[in-house]
Amino acid sequence: MEKRIVVLPGDGIGPEVTGEAVRLLGAVGERFGHRFEFQFAKIGGAAIDETGVPLPDETLRACLASDAVLLGAVGGPRWDRLPGPQRPEAGLLKLRKALGVYANLRPITVHAPLAGASTLKPEVVEGVDFVIVRELTGGLYFGAKERRQGEHGVEVTDTLVYTEQEVERILRLGFELARQRRRHLTSVDKANVLESSRLWREIAERLAPEYPDVTLTHLLVDNAAMQLVKNPRQFDVIVTENMFGDILSDEAAMITGSIGLLPSASLGSGGPGLYEPIHGSAPDIAGQGLANPLATFASVAMMLDYGFGLAEEAAAVRRAIAEVLSEGWRTADIAAGGPAISTEQMGEKVRNALR
Ligand code: IPM
Ligand code: MG
């Protein structure tokens, strides 16, 4: 199989983790006889420094014409003073919107040998295995924003807009995914306060009879935040809107011990998907070989699986990750003060395990 992958290293630790991911894909290609062609392009702060904008047209064109996009991370203190639309993050949001990737899947799995790496008790986190389905191209992130001078000083507005169609398609995806797993869907909203959440809940109820094999539970987002640390094993698939999904997925990441382990896939209706670790640019450790590449490797597995239909290859990557962890190899973020290996060394371990 031949595939064209656009790699967007971005900022901070992005170049280190995507660099290792490209080498891993090379190893996958060798072992299974595929040809992956890579095209590198700029996004985020790196693009701002070179072109003045966070998502150059050239980058967007390359992404739209690709089979899949692999992204490292965007953002950093150097660009924090820029106005909203010129920030590195705006480039990522624009890319998500342009690719139409409305569904962001964030699997939260605790690797057995790492149960002790979480700040939560091992007996609470052992066996945790759920997926957050986050709506990615609507809501507060994309509604009109305004800042004006009012009677009492500055006034600001962020608008939360959702259409029935946007809510229905993401909820359907949640139901479908639950059907392939343990058949439990938790829909998270704030229906006691927000009109958008009331529509969300209505639509979830309306769809439920079409999925009689799936048990639907509604949770208010504040309660969901509490349940995630109280008893995370209760979850199978969580579906929620953009902002709630952003917040809950960082919280959920800590169940696994490190945000450096968690991948994501952003999918739309047929075009190239966007695959990225959820950890962000971590400017404090950038360029030191301290970053954990496993989240990006797991994102590569999602790319192979959802993007290219290469389930066997994806499973081989996941197995290689699991093997290296069970052999005791750790990057600093999961070493709990013990001996740690570098980003590159971790990359090499996983490539060897794959071969
Ligand atoms: C994420 C990130 C992004 C988001 C930022 C970088 C815009 O936090 O992917 O979770 O809020 O979606
Ligand atoms: Mg986030």
Side-chain angles (χ1 to χ4, degrees):
M1 180 179 280
E2 235 183 271
K3 292 289 176 193
R4 284 199 308 156
I5 301 168
V6 168
V7 183
L8 306 175
D11 308 318
I13 58 172
E16 293 163 78
V17 293
T18 51
E20 289 306 318
V22 165
R23 296 170 81 179
L24 177 67
L25 274 161
V28 172
E30 255 172 51
R31 169 164 165 200
F32 292 91
H34 303 303
R35 241 178 69 97
F36 300 118
E37 223 178 86
F38 302 101
Q39 184 181 355
F40 290 81
K42 294 250 183 295
I43 193 168
I48 294 172
D49 288 352
E50 205 176 282
T51 69
V53 293
L55 181 69
D57 288 341
E58 201 191 326
T59 298
L60 181 55
R61 266 199 306 274
C63 291
L64 287 168
S66 73
D67 293 312
V69 180
L70 180 68
L71 180 123
V74 295
R78 281 183 48 205
W79 306 282
D80 266 350
R81 283 165 191 278
L82 291 170
Q86 290 164 40
R87 292 175 59 99
E89 292 83 356
L92 176 56
L93 299 185
K94 197 173 156 193
L95 178 64
R96 287 173 177 170
K97 194 74 169 178
L99 290 173
V101 288
Y102 62 85
N104 183 222
L105 309 189
R106 300 186 160 186
I108 313 287
T109 333
V110 171
H111 294 274
L114 288 182
S118 175
T119 48
L120 300 180
K121 294 191 182 110
E123 62 267 31
V124 173
V125 306
E126 253 155 18
V128 161
D129 173 23
F130 64 91
V131 183
I132 297 180
V133 178
R134 169 188 176 194
E135 200 293 324
L136 201 62
T137 53
L140 272 175
Y141 276 63
F142 292 93
K145 297 173 179 24
E146 208 194 4
R147 180 184 277 258
R148 60 197 167 265
Q149 201 53 49
E151 232 180 283
H152 307 285
V154 175
E155 280 175 19
V156 290
T157 327
D158 284 295
T159 322
L160 201 174
V161 185
Y162 267 116
T163 67
E164 199 174 342
Q165 182 237 351
E166 286 173 318
V167 175
E168 182 174 327
R169 68 182 176 184
I170 193 73
L171 281 166
R172 271 197 193 285
L173 202 135
F175 276 110
E176 298 285 346
L177 189 63
R179 185 167 257 184
Q180 291 161 31
R181 294 174 46 97
R182 301 191 303 276
R183 302 199 186 85
H184 185 190
L185 180 65
T186 307
S187 171
V188 172
D189 63 36
K190 188 71 185 175
N192 53 350
V193 178
L194 299 178
E195 200 52 38
S196 53
S197 283
R198 284 189 276 272
L199 176 69
W200 184 280
R201 205 175 267 223
E202 271 165 46
I203 297 176
E205 284 297 319
R206 193 176 77 208
L207 296 180
E210 292 182 46
Y211 303 88
D213 48 332
V214 175
T215 310
L216 170 69
T217 309
H218 301 285
L219 271 191
L220 295 172
V221 63
D222 46 353
N223 187 15
M226 183 174 78
Q227 295 299 329
L228 273 174
V229 285
K230 187 177 173 200
N231 174 20
R233 258 194 310 267
Q234 70 184 284
F235 296 113
D236 178 18
V237 178
I238 293 177
V239 62
T240 192
E241 65 90 49
N242 203 346
M243 180 75 143
F244 296 161
D246 177 48
I247 299 169
L248 293 182
S249 58
D250 269 33
E251 186 193 1
M254 287 324 290
I255 298 170
T256 70
S258 171
I259 198 166
L261 294 167
L262 295 183
S264 81
S266 304
L267 309 171
S269 26
L274 174 64
Y275 302 85
E276 47 176 320
I278 80 162
H279 51 57
S281 62
D284 52 322
I285 59 163
Q288 301 169 47
L290 290 173
N292 186 344
L294 294 182
T296 315
F297 292 177
S299 305
V300 162
M302 294 185 92
M303 173 189 289
L304 293 166
D305 216 345
Y306 298 117
F308 307 155
L310 298 174
E312 194 191 328
E313 288 79 344
V317 169
R318 291 193 189 104
R319 257 198 320 273
I321 294 172
E323 192 180 310
V324 168
L325 286 174
S326 64
E327 283 168 359
W329 300 106
R330 303 282 184 269
T331 42
D333 57 317
I334 46 174
I341 60 175
S342 70
T343 311
E344 253 182 64
Q345 287 168 321
M346 184 56 102
E348 197 188 334
K349 295 280 173 213
V350 176
R351 285 199 303 280
N352 288 340
L354 185 89
R355 290 187 187 112

